[in-house]
Amino acid sequence: MNAPRRVFLVDDQPAVLKALARLLTAAGYAVQAFSTARDFLDSGCAGAEGCLVLDLSMPDMDGLALQRALAEGASRLPVIFLTGHGDLDSGIRAMKLGAADFLTKPVDDARLIAAVELALERNGRLRADDAERADIAARLASLTPRETEVMDLVIEGLLNKQVAAQLGTVEKTVKVHRARVMAKMQVRSVTALVRLVDRLRRSA
Amino acid sequence: MSPAFSLKWKQAPSVRASLVALVVACILPVASVAAVLIVRFYRNEQAQLISNTVSRARTIITAVDHDFDSTEVALRALGTARVLISGDMQGFHARAVDMLGNLHADSILLLGSDGKMLLSTRLPYGAPLAAPAATPLLRRILANGRPGVSDLFNGPLNGTLIYAVGVPVWRNGRIVMTLNATATPAQLAHVLVEQKLPASWRASVVDNSARVVVRSHEIDKYVGRRINDDLLRRVAAADEGGFATRSLDGVDVFVVFSRSPSSRWTALLGIPMRELNAGLYATMAALVAATLAALALGLVLAWLIGGRITRSVQALVAPALALGDGAIPMIPPLHFKEANELGQALRNAGAGMRQARADTQESEQRLVLAANAALLGIWIRDLKRQDIWLSDQWRALFGFAASEPVALADLLARVHADDRAAVQRTLDNSLLGVPRYDMEYRIVLPDGALRWIGSHGSVEVDADGRPALVRGVSLDITQRKLAELDVQQKQKEVTHLSRLAVLGELSGALAHELNQPLTAILSNAQAAQRFLARQPPDLAEVTEILRDIVDEDQRAGEVIRRLRSLFNKHDGARALVDVNTLARDVIRLLRNDLINHGIAVRTELTATAAVASADAVQLQQVLINLIMNACDAMAGAGPAHAVIVVRSAAAGAHAVQLSVIDSGAGIPAADLAQIFEPFYTTKERGMGLGLSICRNIVAAHHGRLWAENNAGGGASVHLHLPLAAVEAA
């Protein structure tokens, strides 16, 4: 069995924090509880794997502010909001900012756990995605500047001869660079290369 | 004019009488002193005159004596003549005749010691002589052997009055004969003539038997006549002196006399009394005349001046009276500068009074106009005469006809039965000297309509401080009263509405607060289910969860109790409330709202032992209101600025000040005072009652509520509340 998946809890109400932590623990998650948004940011868990269950209304830094901070920090943690109100405005804003879910207190365990599961799944997907992109980026980074220039022109669909003309070199040299690009990028066809680079650049 | 004053006025002397008294008082004493001095002066003059006169009398009698002496010496010399000794009678006769020419005498007689006439120069020698007679002079000479002077006697030859100077003729130590020289009184007259006496004076020489010998006046008539007895007696008393008497010829005189020690003849000088006193009388008359003239002049002047003053003063009486009637008096030309000045002053006073009267009239008219315009009924109650004057407006107000007589009882009869006792009490109080009153009462008009009357009166006192007059205004305050009652009703409703509104907000807040324990309970319970579902069940964890559930449930119950206390209808129940605790409770209550507004609350609850006697729920309402207002004020402010400070601090020893300080836009200065007025609002959907009700609540707690702008932006609302100990004291 895998290591328990992590759920981060932020709520300024100690009793609620404790009860939710208990529930999620009972549900088999590794729960880490914080009583303020600031504590959570300072803990460095923003980039960790897992999901965040966040109370919307808190003093000083509230749920939405924390969400915004996480987005700015390129965190992949999905956020599940909990609110005492049925505050529609806040809910819509939170969802627009990419919240995973928006639940009202008191929250039924089934709904909460379902939301946590979805969020974790989304986090896993995002993380896998991130990992793949990071791999492609690493491959791209291994190219020399000349190889990158050659690759860019190849992706544009130019022939070797045309590439050589553009770069002011001979076709033979272009061929060597091209073979090295294909090897470093771990592709066999130009089509595959184009898809790879396109995926990375589109998401960036 | 009071009776006392007119009495004094009648008793006061007139100006003329005063001036007359002044003149008399000035002149009479001076005249009296002058008279005394004059009399004294003349008395001295008289004494001097009398003294001089006595010496003149002495001179006269001395001259008489001298006459006698010279005759006596001549006779004595003749007696020793040889011819006599030898008995040559013829020769002696010739000798005697010869000598007669040198003497003041008319004859020389030789008498024998037996009185026989031996020889007379009146007769030729040898002529028969008269029979012997023993004359008193002869007897005296024979008796003492010394020469002497006879009194007047009738001459033996022709019977005329004569007197004689005789000397004894001694022979062998015996008086053998006497030699006598007779003289007529006329021969002595020269002694008076030589004195050159004033013609009016009476001078005379009398012999030893007080018969007149010579006299300055009417000698022929009085010669030989004896002076009167009174004169005789007073002259006999002394050798020299003076006294007032009446002379022989009936003239009042002052007589001065001197008697010769030898001949015992007396010179008498009579100064006419009239002459003696003439100077005195003349001077006294002049003095009296001068005094009278001065008096007369003074009195005339006093009369004239007094008259002028009187006329001047009387001329001002009419103007003064006219002044009293409000006219500007015409002042006739007066005789005195002061009177003219007084007249001018009266004129000025008249002008001033007319102006003042005009002003008074103007203001009275204005007052009446204003009173009528304001529908004010004016009434005046004279407490002494038990008389009430009522303006038409008043009558209209109370439903009395314009001419209908109104007594106090009629007035009271109009008053609503429930208010009558209070009105009666107020009226009684004014009699007891309560200086002013305000009352509001109902009256029932004849048609049964009810009218509210507002009445303001003031009591005027007389000079003795006793209430004399009550003056006042009454007005119809029915509209205002109804409006007041209406407002009171509305206020009650509004208070209730506001309470409901606050409760609405509160219940929202409480619902949120309830949400927290419910959330915890649900999550705990479901966690417990999961722990129980494990194999084996984690009972230790479940036990702990159940304890937490119980705790949270209790907390929820607490919230509900608090909610119930808010809905409780108890009103004005005062309890000891710790202001800091109250503030903390309210902040907790509003926590979610504050968070939702993105507003932080900082507490600076520094007051210690800040316990007030208060209605906790009402104070909570106030604080909730203030904090929510602060939230609204900061809507739109950045989260960094959105901080509300709730501060408590001691305000002196007996009060606490609770402040809600925001950092919003502040309150426009013009609105600072207004924000506590009802229906003042800046909110789109607000009714503007919150702060107004807050202030009422605070006022009911004897506190104050006010707002101000902070120096660094934002506004503060302060709640000043007396502490419980003070209020209890």
Side-chain angles (χ1 to χ4, degrees), chain A residues 12-13 15-16 18-20 22-23 25-27 57-59 83-85 105-109 113, chain B residues 512 515-516 518-520 522-524 526-527 530-531 534 541 544-545 548 552 555 591-592 595-596:
Chain A
D12 64 313
Q13 298 279 307
V16 175
K18 191 175 176 189
L20 288 175
R22 221 174 235 154
L23 177 64
T25 305
S57 51
M58 287 187 292
T83 173
H85 306 242
K105 289 181 184 175
V107 62
D108 183 66
D109 58 347
I113 288 166
Chain B
H512 290 306
N515 218 9
Q516 302 295 344
L518 285 179
T519 303
L522 179 60
S523 296
N524 273 323
Q526 289 174 334
R530 286 173 186 271
F531 282 120
R534 282 186 183 176
E541 186 71 29
E544 199 182 325
I545 290 173
D548 283 356
E552 287 306 301
R555 212 182 126 195
R591 185 180 155 279
N592 274 293
I595 289 167
N596 288 340

Side-chain angles (χ1 to χ4, degrees), chain B residues 433-463:
Chain B
V434 175
R436 58 181 64 249
Y437 63 81
D438 287 316
M439 55 177 170
E440 294 182 351
Y441 53 91
R442 287 161 290 176
I443 58 171
V444 182
L445 296 175
D447 62 5
L450 193 73
R451 183 169 279 172
W452 274 93
I453 297 292
S455 205
H456 313 276
S458 65
V459 181
E460 287 175 22
V461 295
D462 60 15

Side-chain angles (χ1 to χ4, degrees), chain A residues 5 49-51 67 75-80 94-101 114-130:
Chain A
R5 291 167 302 169
E49 184 183 1
C51 76
Q67 186 191 21
S75 168
R76 289 302 181 192
L77 270 183
V79 178
I80 301 166
M95 295 312 279
K96 274 185 180 168
L97 279 171
D101 210 337
V116 167
E117 278 301 318
L118 268 174
L120 285 175
E121 190 186 316
R122 181 172 159 191
N123 179 245
R125 206 168 52 237
L126 284 173
R127 291 189 70 84
D129 211 32
D130 282 350

